[in-house]
Amino acid sequence: MQILNGLELSKTIKKEIKEEVDVMVQQGHRPPHLVAILVGDDGASMTYVNNKIRSCKECGYESTLIKKTSDTTEEELIWLIKGLNADNTVDGFIVQLPLPDHINPDEVLLAISPEKDVDGFTPHSVGLMTLGLPSYKPATPYGILKMLQRYNIETAGKRCVVVGRSNIVGKPIGIMLGQNKSIGNCTVTILNTHTPNIEKYTKEADILIVAVGRPKMIHGDMVKEGVIVFDVGITRVVDESAKGYHLEGDVDFDSVAPKASYITPVPGGVGPMTVTMLLYNTLLARKKSIRR
Ligand code: NAP
């Protein structure tokens, strides 16, 4: 069994990004600039956004965190987004999800200019990605593709089972791994809450991707020997440590790892790669703006 060490791989990729940024700056260009918008005071969202801002600094990016109170209206948020769309000093921006209930996330996504959609969540980006055309790929699935590529894992002909069909993880990773690409050509099945006997499918998986948000829902008796496992789930479980919580994945690592050929840990697997691929998309956006 080999651990897919997302933390180490993300350090390597961030170093490569920093080298590119250094060259960019030496050539007289400004570095990439990522803006993150955070609405409200959700603890987990704040942690994720702070990680993104810290990673920007590590890579030599400019970054701006815009914090808005939870009573911000949809109109105010869209006004802010339109300003960022028009701001030539900003290469890409993200609106941290989830948003407060009174804001419709679909309306917010529709307001983001595709050119600055470094999260790859807008209908334009999703459409391009689905057609297999160059696009900003959503960061979490992109991180999984990168891990498969950098660990030299063959995907063609493999049976891939994805548990969860969210627009940001389950659906796009299923689409990407089913495409006729060098990391792709899998036969993909995507499961949801209506799927009866999910173990019937998980047991057939050569590659199992779990993005649900239910701690330890996948046990060793639900997978086959040699399976490659990506555990996307992150749930804060309350405990008595100084932090008051610890993170748990959707996979019961102790019973699944002995049967797996490769497996991502939680934390330190998919999570760090997500942040890194967001930076990668922002670098692409900056390169495009330099060429324009
Ligand atoms: P989500 O929007 O929370 O949706 C969960 C999905 O799981 C839904 O499609 C749901 O099906 C499905 N599901 C729930 N219970 C199921 C069951 N018993 N059997 C089969 N499918 C089931 O998904 P998400 O946003 O992708 O988040 C999932 C988890 O990944 C969360 O823990 C989140 O924190 C984590 N996450 C981690 C990263 C990272 O960087 N590591 C990034 C994004 C998300 P229905 O559609 O039928 O309701």
Side-chain angles (χ1 to χ4, degrees):
M1 185 273 294
Q2 193 178 346
I3 296 284
L4 293 165
N5 190 332
L7 192 58
E8 279 308 310
L9 181 54
S10 71
K11 282 182 193 161
T12 305
I13 296 175
K14 280 197 262 188
K15 199 164 157 275
E16 293 166 5
I17 291 176
K18 171 84 169 64
E19 284 165 6
E20 279 207 54
V21 171
D22 287 346
V23 171
M24 191 179 268
V25 171
Q26 278 158 20
Q27 289 172 343
H29 302 292
R30 66 163 176 77
H33 181 193
L34 177 73
V35 174
I37 305 173
L38 177 65
V39 186
D41 48 16
D42 177 67
S45 293
M46 241 180 265
T47 307
Y48 298 145
V49 165
N50 286 334
N51 280 344
K52 290 167 188 174
I53 296 291
R54 199 177 46 241
S55 294
C56 280
K57 293 204 170 79
E58 284 169 32
C59 292
Y61 287 24
E62 286 173 32
S63 59
T64 306
L65 172 56
I66 302 178
K67 281 188 186 170
K68 304 296 287 180
T69 53
S70 54
D71 59 358
T72 302
T73 64
E74 190 174 298
E75 290 69 27
E76 284 168 335
L77 182 56
I78 288 176
W79 183 251
L80 174 62
I81 288 170
K82 289 194 170 158
L84 294 172
N85 286 342
D87 185 341
N88 289 335
T89 69
V90 173
D91 302 298
F93 62 93
I94 60 158
V95 182
Q96 186 66 40
L97 300 175
L99 290 165
D101 288 344
H102 63 276
I103 300 179
N104 181 348
D106 295 335
E107 292 299 329
V108 171
L109 282 183
L110 284 169
I112 298 174
S113 159
E115 283 174 2
K116 300 196 178 182
D117 174 27
V118 287
D119 251 342
F121 290 168
T122 63
H124 184 88
S125 300
V126 175
L128 291 173
M129 181 275 290
T130 304
L131 293 171
L133 296 170
S135 63
Y136 296 120
K137 299 179 183 69
T140 304
Y142 202 6
I144 293 173
L145 294 194
K146 238 346 151 200
M147 281 195 264
L148 286 163
Q149 182 201 19
R150 295 285 180 113
Y151 277 86
N152 289 315
I153 298 173
E154 179 59 70
T155 55
K158 297 249 165 79
R159 183 76 201 269
C160 172
V161 174
V162 183
V163 192
R165 58 174 165 185
S166 70
N167 286 342
I168 62 170
V169 186
K171 244 182 252 174
I173 192 64
I175 292 167
M176 288 178 187
L177 282 175
Q179 275 171 341
N180 186 6
K181 303 271 181 191
S182 58
I183 309 292
N185 287 317
C186 291
T187 304
V188 180
T189 307
I190 303 179
L191 314 185
N192 60 63
T193 46
H194 296 266
T195 310
N197 304 325
I198 67 163
E199 58 273 24
K200 173 172 170 285
Y201 300 92
T202 58
K203 272 181 185 163
E204 288 177 0
D206 301 311
I207 300 175
L208 178 64
I209 299 166
V210 193
V212 171
R214 281 184 54 198
K216 298 186 178 178
M217 71 175 282
I218 302 294
H219 290 267
D221 57 4
M222 297 168 76
V223 301
K224 70 176 183 186
E225 288 289 339
V227 63
I228 298 159
V229 181
F230 290 91
D231 186 355
V232 181
I234 307 176
T235 304
R236 284 184 173 204
V237 176
V238 176
D239 66 20
E240 294 188 347
S241 66
K243 261 187 173 174
Y245 69 88
H246 66 276
L247 300 181
E248 273 185 16
D250 290 344
V251 174
D252 178 38
F253 188 90
D254 291 344
S255 65
V256 173
K259 292 177 87 173
S261 54
Y262 295 89
I263 186 166
T264 58
V266 176
V270 175
M273 287 300 292
T274 295
V275 179
T276 302
M277 298 322 290
L278 171 68
L279 295 190
Y280 188 84
N281 280 344
T282 308
L283 180 63
L284 289 184
R286 179 68 190 116
K287 286 182 184 168
K288 278 190 199 168
S289 74
I290 290 172
R291 280 199 298 271
R292 268 198 297 272

